[in-house]
Structure formats: structure tokens, C-alpha cells
């Protein structure tokens, strides 16, 4: 039997997930779509899911008998409403990051899910599914470089649109590191500070770009993350862990080493869709499998909440330059 998916939001990642559900993954098909922009919904259906129905009201889509589970791929500020809507009718929901744009919003989702009594939500944090991050974690867990002391990370996008704001560098971009580094280190954050280097003239005046986020964990590990979303040259994700006994670095995506015109070169990817293509495939296949088995295994609402608690502190730190404490409540047994 094929799981019927309803997709809310048919922009960049919505279309990419519709494509992978219809063309790459097994066990599911897209049966209904919604977007506040009807042309976008029509375009996605025509291109990837000709048999899917366009439903104008997102809450009708969530409640529809034609939908077994929901994918929320609309803009971040709308996620909470749709995830709560799915929990209300007891349907499984895969929600792209961020789960909600504030910790308070994520907390409401956690509470609704716990009240329902069973996990229904998977958050679209795909990096724990990436083979590079998994290999890096295996090295750390093996103890080969001893305890991690420092991490140097970078999250670089070639450019962003005019609606991208300074806080989105945290809530939309850094949120990936806030999730994956917590998982990688098996540790929680205790403080954050944000400092701003010289403004890049390639960034629009309203956007402070680049930024450097400094995090400290409960075990005392120090992390610096450069966020540079107008770096021009490519989509570049870096993570280097300095341990007591050695250094472990996130592998680069594989590329041909070219010798040509008196130079050695390797191409750098320019798009997150390609950089994490395999990870997106595996995370969504895992969601489909989890729904079919009645037991989700992927990143939970609690992971979404934990990342958002740290994100709130980083956004506050952007405004003051001060070191802002991060206090994550104890994880409920429900999410163990
Ligand atoms: P986008 O702007 O390309 O597409 C968003 C779509 O959602 C648009 O078509 C818009 O009309 C629609 N939409 C917005 N509000 C809506 C509402 N209330 N109801 C119905 N439709 C609505 O944005 P993009 O890049 O696809 O991002 C969407 C979400 O996915 C964001 O939360 C973003 O952070 C996340 N994302 C995650 C990525 C990842 O690596 N996991 C990569 C890119 C995006
Ligand atoms: C985008 O929404 C993503 O999630 C990408 O993975 C990230 O690199 C980019 O900065 C975000 O805007």
C-alpha cells in the first residue's frame, strides 16, 4: 500500500521533496498539495505529481481522507500552525526546519504531541542522515581523537534573497548546526555570543553578513560557527573537531580532481539541494518507513525545541553582543 502524502508549501524544498517522493523513494505518493500561491501549487503538480489534488485550504488538506501524513514545507513562521493542525487530527507530520521560529512555538508543539500520547512529528534536520556527519560522529564516538575540545565550523551560502533577514541567519541557517552539533557531541549548549566582522558589500544593507556565533557546551567544548550567506563562491559546509589527541574533519563531497591549464582544481557545489541530496532521500524514506510502522525514529519535536532554545539565545545575543545563557529543560521521558 502506498502512503498518501499531503504537501503544504510548493517552493524550493517542497517541490524537491515532491519530486523525491514521486520519483526516488518507495512506499509513498503525493496525493494533495497546497500553497498560498496557487501558481506554485499548479506548477508543482504539473511537473511532479499530475494525479495530486490541489487543496486551497491547508487545514482541509490536513483533515482530508486522501491524506495519511503531511509534509510541511512552507515558510518557517507558518510551521507551528500546520504541525499543531496535524497533531489535532492525529496525523503524522514531517516538518521542515525550523519546527517553529521560537522556542515557545516549539514548546507548544511538544506539549500537544505529549498530550496526544504518541510521537507524530519528525523535523527536517537532515544532517544526522548525511554520510559525512555520520562518519565524523563514528570517529568521535570511537575515542580516536579523545574528548572534543574545540569545533570550527562554517555555513556558507553563495547568496540569499532580499527577504532574508539578520535573525534568519540563526533561525533558518545556523539552526542546522544547532541541531547537528548537539547530536555529534552528545552535549548541550550553555551559552552563546554573536560577533559581526566587517560587513560584506555583497550583502544587502539590512542584512548583517557575515556573523560568527560562539557557543559553549555543558562539557566545556567551545564552538565557533561562521555564517556567511553571501559568500559568492559556493555552498560550503565545514566542520572541524579538535580533540585531545587529534583532529577530525567533515569530509568534502566527492568531486573529480581536475588537472587542466596548469592548475589542479575540484569543483565546489553551489546548492544545498545537491550537497545534501542523499541525506534528504534517506530522512524522508525513514519518515515514510516510520509512519508505516507506526513508530517515528528521526529528529523529534524535542530536537526542534532544543535547537530553538539555543536559537532564541543566539538571536538575543545578536542584539547585545553579550554572552547569553542557554537553559534547556530536562528532556521528558516521552522523547527518550
Ligand atoms: P520557498 O520560499 O522557496 O517556498 C516556500 C513556499 O511556501 C512558497 O511557495 C510559499 O508560497 C509557500 N507558503 C508560505 N507560507 C504559506 C502558507 N501559510 N500556506 C501555504 N503555503 C505557504 O522556501 P523554501 O526554500 O522552500 O523553504 C521552505 C522551508 O523549508 C523553510 O522553513 C526553510 O527553512 C526550509 N528549508 C529547509 C532546507 C533544508 O536543508 N532542510 C533547505 C531549504 C529550505
Ligand atoms: C535554507 O533554508 C536551508 O535550510 C539550507 O540548508 C541552508 O544552507 C540555508 O542557509 C537556509 O536558508
Amino acid at each position: 500500500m502506498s502512503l498518501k502524502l499531503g504537501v503544504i508549501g510548493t517552493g524550493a524544498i517542497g517541490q524537491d521533496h515532491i519530486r523525491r517522493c514521486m520519483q526516488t523513494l518507495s512506499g509513498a505518493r503525493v496525493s494533495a498539495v497546497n500553497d498560498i500561491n496557487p501558481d506554485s501549487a499548479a506548477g508543482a503538480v504539473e511537473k511532479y505529481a499530475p494525479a495530486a489534488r490541489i487543496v486551497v485550504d491547508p487545514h482541509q488538506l490536513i483533515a482530508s481522507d486522501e491524506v495519511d501524513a503531511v509534509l510541511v514545507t512552507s515558510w518557517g513562521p507558518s510551521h507551528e500552525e500546520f504541525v499543531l493542525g496535524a497533531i489535532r487530527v492525529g496525523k503524522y507530520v514531517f516538518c521542515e526546519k525550523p519546527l517553529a521560529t521560537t522556542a515557545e512555538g516549539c514548546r507548544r508543539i511538544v506539549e500537544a504531541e505529549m498530550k496526544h500520547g504518541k510521537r507524530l512529528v519528525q523535523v527536517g534536520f537532515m544532517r544526522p542522515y548525511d554520510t559525512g556527519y555520520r562518519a565524523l560522529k563514528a570517529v568521535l564516538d570511537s575515542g580516536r581523537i579523545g574528548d572534543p575540545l574545540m569545533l570550527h565550523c562554517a555555513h556558507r551560502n553563495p547568496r540569499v534573497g532580499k527577504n532574508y533577514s539578520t535573525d534568519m541567519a540563526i533561525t533558518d541557517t545556523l539552526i542546522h548546526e544547532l541541531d547537528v552539533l548537539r547530536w555529534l557531541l552528545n552535549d548541550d549548549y550553555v551559552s552563546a555570543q554573536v560577533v559581526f566582522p566587517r560587513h560584506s558589500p555583497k550583502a544587502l544593507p539590512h542584512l548583517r553578513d557575515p556573523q560568527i556565533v560562539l557557543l559553549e557546551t555543558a562539557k566545556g567544548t567551545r564552538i565557533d560557527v561562521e555564517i556567511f550567506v553571501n559568500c559568492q563562491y559556493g555552498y560550503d559546509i565545514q566542520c572541524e573537531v579538535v580533540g585531545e589527541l587529534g583532529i577530525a574533519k567533515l569530509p568534502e563531497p566527492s568531486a573529480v580532481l581536475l588537472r587542466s591549464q596548469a592548475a589542479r582544481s575540484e569543483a565546489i557545489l553551489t546548492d544545498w539541494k545537491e550537497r545534501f541530496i542523499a541525506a534528504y532521500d534517506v530522512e524522508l524514506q525513514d519518515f515514510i518507513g516510520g509512519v508505516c510502522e507506526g513508530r517515528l525514529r528521526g529528529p523529534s519535536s524535542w530536537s526542534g525545541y532544543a535547537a530553538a532554545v539555543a536559537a532564541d539565545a543566539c538571536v538575543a545575543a545578536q542584539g547585545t553582543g553579550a554572552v547569553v545563557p542557554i537553559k534547556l529543560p530536562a528532556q521528558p521521558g516521552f522523547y527518550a
Side-chain angles (χ1 to χ4, degrees):
M1 197 198 79
S2 186
L3 192 71
K4 293 172 285 177
L5 299 173
V7 180
I8 303 177
T10 54
I13 203 156
Q15 290 211 18
D16 206 35
H17 283 344
I18 295 173
R19 175 197 58 73
R20 63 173 39 86
C21 290
M22 296 301 286
Q23 299 179 357
T24 306
L25 308 182
S26 59
R29 69 186 160 82
V30 174
S31 57
V33 303
N34 161 274
D35 196 291
I36 39 166
N37 175 351
D39 292 343
S40 170
V45 163
E46 190 187 341
K47 211 160 164 192
Y48 298 118
R53 197 158 72 83
I54 297 174
V55 183
V56 175
D57 178 343
H59 290 283
Q60 261 178 27
L61 174 143
I62 292 170
S64 165
D65 289 344
E66 290 169 36
V67 169
D68 300 321
V70 182
L71 305 190
V72 177
T73 48
S74 49
W75 294 322
S78 62
H79 292 180
E80 181 187 347
E81 174 192 336
F82 299 140
V83 173
L84 287 174
I87 295 173
R88 234 177 347 258
V89 297
K91 287 193 182 171
Y92 287 102
V93 52
F94 173 93
C95 178
E96 260 311 331
K97 40 64 58 175
L99 177 59
T101 48
T102 61
E104 210 186 320
C106 293
R107 183 87 218 180
R108 284 190 283 270
I109 292 172
V110 161
E111 279 163 8
E113 190 178 36
M114 290 198 329
K115 193 163 166 217
H116 175 78
K118 180 181 173 191
R119 264 199 69 186
L120 291 177
V121 183
Q122 178 170 328
V123 183
F125 287 134
M126 75 298 182
R127 290 196 192 177
Y129 290 96
D130 174 63
T131 49
Y133 275 105
R134 291 181 87 87
L136 182 57
K137 184 164 174 60
V139 168
L140 298 190
D141 290 350
S142 75
R144 281 185 64 193
I145 65 162
D147 284 340
L149 308 177
M150 295 176 275
L151 271 71
H152 308 298
C153 308
H155 189 150
R156 303 191 187 113
N157 291 226
R159 58 197 58 79
V160 288
K162 61 181 185 336
N163 292 329
Y164 188 100
S165 52
T166 298
D167 59 324
M168 284 173 72
I170 306 294
T171 57
D172 208 56
T173 296
L174 179 77
I175 199 84
H176 282 295
E177 273 78 16
L178 292 174
D179 174 66
V180 79
L181 300 182
R182 190 172 162 266
W183 166 83
L184 193 66
L185 298 174
N186 193 23
D187 202 353
D188 279 316
Y189 309 112
V190 293
S191 75
Q193 187 183 13
V194 180
V195 294
F196 296 97
R198 280 176 69 174
H199 185 254
S200 163
K202 297 291 184 195
L204 290 170
H206 76 271
L207 173 63
R208 299 197 73 176
D209 187 43
Q211 309 184 17
I212 300 170
V213 178
L214 303 166
L215 298 159
E216 185 183 4
T217 72
K219 293 177 189 163
T221 304
R222 291 282 184 167
I223 302 169
D224 55 86
V225 187
E226 170 202 314
I227 311 161
F228 188 11
V229 294
N230 286 282
C231 80
Q232 308 296 305
Y233 73 86
Y235 182 71
D236 197 5
I237 303 300
Q238 299 288 326
C239 179
E240 181 180 86
V241 183
V242 180
E244 298 167 279
L245 306 170
I247 289 174
K249 206 166 185 303
L250 181 69
E252 295 286 343
S254 78
V256 171
L257 176 57
L258 187 65
R259 285 175 157 79
S260 167
Q261 300 186 326
R264 275 188 295 146
S265 64
E266 275 177 62
I268 295 176
L269 295 173
T270 55
D271 193 338
W272 45 262
K273 285 195 205 86
E274 292 167 62
R275 170 64 180 84
F276 288 109
I277 188 167
Y280 295 123
D281 287 350
V282 182
E283 72 165 353
L284 266 183
Q285 190 67 70
D286 193 34
F287 174 72
I288 294 164
V291 172
C292 293
E293 288 166 30
R295 196 176 64 87
L296 294 184
R297 310 160 277 239
S300 68
S301 300
W302 188 260
S303 297
Y305 172 65
V309 168
D312 276 7
C314 294
V315 171
Q318 282 180 327
T320 60
V323 176
V324 175
I326 301 176
K327 290 187 189 119
L328 179 66
Q331 179 174 295
F334 181 86
Y335 290 104

